[in-house]
Amino acid sequence: MRIDKFLKVCRLIKRRETAKELCDDKDVFINGKAAKPMTEIKPGDELVLFLGKHKITAKILEVRPFAKKEEAAKMFEITGDEFVEREENLQ
């Protein structure tokens, strides 16, 4: 499944377009590499998501094309949530 769709289905991001923009801005990393919106993910991958000054680290547990609210929370496990200052010109 594409990372932009996963972020919407698991409800970490409200809209798929917003998830796409985060990927384009290099605010989403999969296994340490910047993710493009079409990057494929699988269970076991490590997800790092920068939302403003939040750095959210999560492990992907399962991938589903659709999920109810109760099921969405079981698709990932938050392993870290911290405040960080980021440099503007990340490579």
Side-chain angles (χ1 to χ4, degrees):
M1 172 183 286
R2 293 170 50 122
I3 185 62
D4 59 342
K5 183 171 182 182
F6 176 81
L7 291 171
K8 182 198 180 301
V9 170
C10 75
R11 292 174 167 78
L12 278 171
I13 303 295
K14 194 169 188 173
R15 292 182 176 84
R16 189 169 176 179
E17 183 62 29
T18 304
K20 180 185 177 305
E21 290 171 4
L22 286 172
C23 291
D24 290 340
D25 292 342
K26 297 185 180 177
D27 288 333
V28 179
F29 293 83
I30 302 293
N31 298 326
K33 294 183 181 178
K36 294 182 180 178
M38 70 278 209
T39 301
E40 292 290 321
I41 54 133
K42 60 189 178 307
D45 284 347
E46 181 185 57
L47 170 68
V48 177
L49 182 63
F50 289 95
L51 294 171
K53 293 188 178 190
H54 273 281
K55 176 185 175 187
I56 300 170
T57 307
K59 182 177 181 182
I60 298 172
L61 301 177
E62 68 179 292
V63 178
R64 296 181 180 192
F66 303 100
K68 294 180 182 178
K69 187 175 184 179
E70 305 82 37
E71 299 168 341
K74 297 176 185 174
M75 293 176 67
F76 62 93
E77 174 186 3
I78 300 287
T79 57
D81 185 2
E82 56 188 292
F83 286 104
V84 294
E85 292 291 330
R86 290 188 69 198
E87 296 178 20
E88 291 298 319
N89 53 0
L90 286 175
Q91 295 295 326

